Amino acid sequence: MKFTLKIWRQQGPDDKGRFVTYQAHEVSPDMSFLEMLDSVNQGLIVKGEEPVAFEHDCREGICGSCSLVINGVPHGPERGIATCQLYMRRFSDGATITIEPWRARAFPIIKDLVVDRRALDRVMQAGGYISVNTGGAVDGNVVLIGKDQAETAMDAASCIGCGACVAACKNASAMLFVAAKVSHLASLPQGKPERTRRVTAMMEAMDREGFGACGNQYECEAVCPKSISVRFIATLNREYLRAGVVESGAPTVPEAPHAESD
Amino acid sequence: MASGETAVSSCKNRGMMRLFNHFQTSLDSKVVVALTGLGLAGFVVFHMLGNLQVFEGAEALNSYAAFLRDMPILLWTTRLGLLSIVALHIGLAIQLTLHNRRARPVAYAVREYRKASLASRTMAVTGSVLLLFIVFHLLHLTAGVVDTSFPDRLDLQGHRDVYGKVVHAFRNPLFVALYLAGQFVLGLHLSHAVSSSLQTLGFEHAALNRLFKAAGPVIALLVVLGNMAIILAVFLGVVRT
Ligand code: HEM
Ligand code: FES
């Protein structure tokens, strides 16, 4: 197969950037999208040109590193997969494919197709954790959790933090990401003690990082490689409203069982 | 760890602050936009139902209008209430829209939407056109300054002849076209807005999600059909003086 690729090239954060057109020849339909880019890069290296920078690690849909907007859709035309799980047989021979980076103010471009997604880490640091005392590991099944509850938590926890939800959202909102994290922790007993503080802190962090607000358009769910449901956004909204009521009514908020102190 | 402190930092008064001082996060604004929007949606539904009395004749509509106007306290509380709801809704919606635009300074060269409906992507546009339409509508049928060819007059019971005014208005193809366009824009705005508000307010339940999703389009359709029935019935001569 052969393809015409229109790829976003940008030297660094301050470069203006532009599209450059490349030809990909002798592409096997069984190549993954990233392997196809690898072969294009081989060609560039042979010619003494700068290869296209793109992010990848596991190449099996679990790490959340790969991040390409392919023909206007984050992670490309297939549903429920990451870019690394996309195969060239999905495209018709001779097609022109446009490849862009995630675009959001919170995700500044580092180079070409690689963006800085540390904003998501900072949102996590604001509250996406549980505080536990270290010591001997707790025995399994000490805290019994119903199957439905465990399934719900697992559905939310399947988020790999790739940021496709932000890339797809018209408002570049990280709402589905925050919703997945908040819902995952709030649906388990271990996450309950800090739920009030967590949801407020994470929402504040999301704004602070420059993500937009949710428009309930659900484009995020449609591109999520883990198909995380937007019903978790409703859960997040409920958690947030609950926190508003609890915080405004309560004379004191209990301190964390183990506040991070260093 | 600094970020740990952010989460742990005293949030004793945060809720109070949030309720009384200012809106802390974009989600607070969204909740207020949703609540005021639902309030306006409720108004639009009752407005349509009330106006359907045009089909019962001049007497019914005029005495209904008189009933609404005859209680100055109620009239002005409602008017001021609606005005402040509209102001909150528009003010926060504009703020949110600007916040959202800033979040993506560089647009995609190619963009394909899978799920985001046209209505959901044009809320700011339909909202702004709706504002223009509402101002026009108030100047036209409430204040009566747009079309002075129909004088304010009383009917046989001594009520203001609202019926005559409505019939006069919708005989004119220009007004019919403007009002139908207004209905189209209102329908678009409402069809996304109502379901979206329910999501913003956290309504979500496995058994009821389809109902919540359908609420917007269904309410939008009912409002638009009801209003269009009035406009077209007059225009086609079904309702006449
Ligand atoms: C009859 C009049 C109106 C009704 C019934 C109405 C209703 C609503 C509702 C229920 C929402 C949903 C909020 C949400 O997404 O959670 C909404 C959103 C919105 N409205 Fe209105 N609205 C009206 C007039 C206006 C006007 C006059 C404007 C603007 C000038 C406006 C601008 C917006 C915008 C921009 C949003 C989206 C806000 C967001 O991104 O969350 N609306 N409206
Ligand atoms: S490279 Fe790990 S998810 Fe794609």
Side-chain angles (χ1 to χ4, degrees):
Chain A
M1 304 177 88
K2 56 176 191 290
F3 299 98
T4 303
L5 306 176
K6 280 178 67 187
I7 304 181
W8 183 259
R9 302 297 315 254
Q10 184 171 336
Q11 297 269 303
D14 300 325
D15 182 25
K16 261 196 76 196
R18 70 209 182 283
F19 280 101
V20 179
T21 304
Y22 299 96
Q23 300 300 329
H25 299 290
E26 292 176 34
V27 175
S28 153
D30 296 329
M31 272 183 177
S32 79
F33 199 83
L34 298 186
E35 283 167 338
M36 182 275 296
L37 284 181
D38 288 337
S39 78
V40 170
N41 274 346
Q42 284 303 326
L44 290 179
I45 292 168
V46 168
K47 280 197 279 178
E49 286 176 35
E50 181 84 6
V52 180
F54 63 91
E55 227 177 319
H56 59 97
D57 186 22
C58 71
R59 297 208 176 197
E60 56 178 359
I62 55 169
C63 73
S65 299
C66 56
S67 47
L68 302 176
V69 174
I70 301 162
N71 288 340
V73 181
H75 292 311
E78 209 82 67
R79 287 190 186 231
I81 58 162
T83 300
C84 57
Q85 298 165 289
L86 177 65
Y87 289 89
M88 295 318 292
R89 52 179 174 264
R90 184 63 180 70
F91 297 87
S92 44
D93 196 10
T96 299
I97 305 174
T98 307
I99 309 172
E100 294 176 78
W102 279 184
R103 291 207 185 274
R105 183 159 73 103
F107 292 162
I109 292 178
I110 298 172
K111 187 175 181 184
D112 296 339
L113 302 167
V114 180
V115 299
D116 179 352
R117 282 173 284 183
R118 279 178 298 176
L120 293 181
D121 299 341
R122 290 188 290 270
V123 172
M124 286 300 275
Q125 284 164 0
Y129 53 81
I130 58 166
S131 306
V132 287
N133 293 308
T134 50
V138 181
D139 286 340
N141 293 335
V142 167
V143 186
L144 293 177
I145 297 166
K147 178 154 170 63
D148 285 353
Q149 214 177 336
E151 293 277 350
T152 303
M154 200 54 219
D155 285 349
S158 60
C159 169
I160 53 177
C162 63
C165 44
V166 176
C169 176
K170 178 170 171 279
N171 304 338
S173 174
M175 202 68 165
L176 189 61
F177 172 81
V178 178
K181 304 304 178 186
V182 164
S183 306
H184 155 216
L185 294 174
S187 54
L188 295 174
Q190 291 89 339
K192 291 267 193 309
E194 292 162 296
R195 65 192 281 202
T196 304
R197 187 174 58 237
R198 173 183 307 117
V199 65
T200 314
M202 289 184 82
M203 278 310 302
E204 283 171 3
M206 183 182 109
D207 278 355
R208 199 162 53 233
E209 295 296 337
F211 295 105
C214 181
N216 300 328
Q217 307 185 336
Y218 308 153
E219 201 60 25
C220 48
E221 177 188 277
V223 303
C224 175
K226 300 297 156 188
S227 303
I228 291 178
S229 167
V230 291
R231 76 191 172 88
F232 290 122
I233 296 182
T235 306
L236 164 61
N237 294 337
R238 244 182 358 247
E239 279 289 303
Y240 186 79
L241 290 171
R242 178 194 160 279
V245 174
V246 171
E247 281 181 358
S248 60
T252 53
V253 171
E255 281 305 305
H258 175 79
E260 291 178 49
S261 49
D262 51 324
Chain B
M1 199 172 103
S3 50
E5 279 159 31
T6 329
V8 178
S9 70
S10 160
C11 41
K12 191 170 141 191
N13 285 322
R14 196 187 274 155
M16 281 296 190
M17 265 168 47
R18 185 190 309 154
L19 283 180
F20 301 115
N21 259 347
H22 61 111
F23 297 109
Q24 279 211 310
T25 71
S26 55
L27 190 46
D28 291 296
S29 310
K30 276 199 61 64
V31 168
V32 179
V33 172
L35 288 173
T36 52
L38 282 183
L40 293 174
F43 170 79
V44 167
V45 169
F46 281 102
H47 188 58
M48 180 273 287
L49 291 176
N51 288 346
L52 282 180
Q53 293 179 67
V54 91
F55 289 105
E56 288 181 30
E59 206 175 307
L61 189 71
N62 289 351
S63 50
Y64 169 66
F67 163 74
L68 291 182
R69 284 219 182 196
D70 274 356
M71 293 169 289
I73 301 184
L74 188 70
L75 178 69
W76 280 102
T77 329
T78 314
R79 282 182 172 172
L80 289 178
L82 275 174
L83 195 66
S84 38
I85 288 179
V86 167
L88 262 181
H89 185 80
I90 296 177
L92 289 174
I94 291 175
Q95 198 186 324
L96 273 172
T97 304
L98 295 177
H99 172 75
N100 292 340
R101 298 237 162 109
R102 274 197 301 275
R104 171 158 302 126
V106 183
Y108 289 108
V110 182
R111 180 90 241 223
E112 195 195 303
Y113 288 105
R114 272 185 182 162
K115 193 126 167 217
S117 63
L118 179 72
S120 76
R121 286 184 274 128
T122 50
M123 288 302 275
V125 177
T126 52
S128 309
V129 177
L130 211 47
L131 177 63
L132 293 179
F133 175 73
I134 293 168
V135 171
F136 161 77
H137 172 54
L138 290 176
L139 291 177
H140 176 214
L141 286 178
T142 305
V145 296
V146 173
D147 180 10
T148 44
S149 64
F150 186 81
D152 251 345
R153 67 174 190 212
L154 302 180
D155 66 6
L156 296 177
Q157 279 78 33
H159 296 139
R160 282 175 68 253
D161 189 11
V162 175
Y163 183 88
K165 205 165 170 178
V166 169
V167 170
H168 177 76
F170 296 134
R171 283 275 174 70
N172 184 337
L174 176 68
F175 287 127
V176 170
L178 281 173
Y179 275 80
L180 287 182
Q183 290 314 305
F184 177 70
V185 175
L186 175 64
L188 270 182
H189 198 78
L190 275 182
S191 72
H192 176 68
V194 174
S195 302
S196 171
S197 313
L198 295 179
Q199 168 88 352
T200 300
L201 298 176
F203 286 86
E204 182 276 317
H205 189 282
L208 299 174
N209 276 345
R210 281 166 71 192
L211 185 72
F212 297 150
K213 282 235 167 70
V218 168
I219 291 177
L221 197 67
L222 289 180
V223 169
V224 169
L225 287 181
N227 287 339
M228 275 176 55
I230 299 169
I231 301 167
L232 292 178
V234 173
F235 186 61
L236 301 176
V238 180
V239 167
R240 61 179 89 211
T241 37

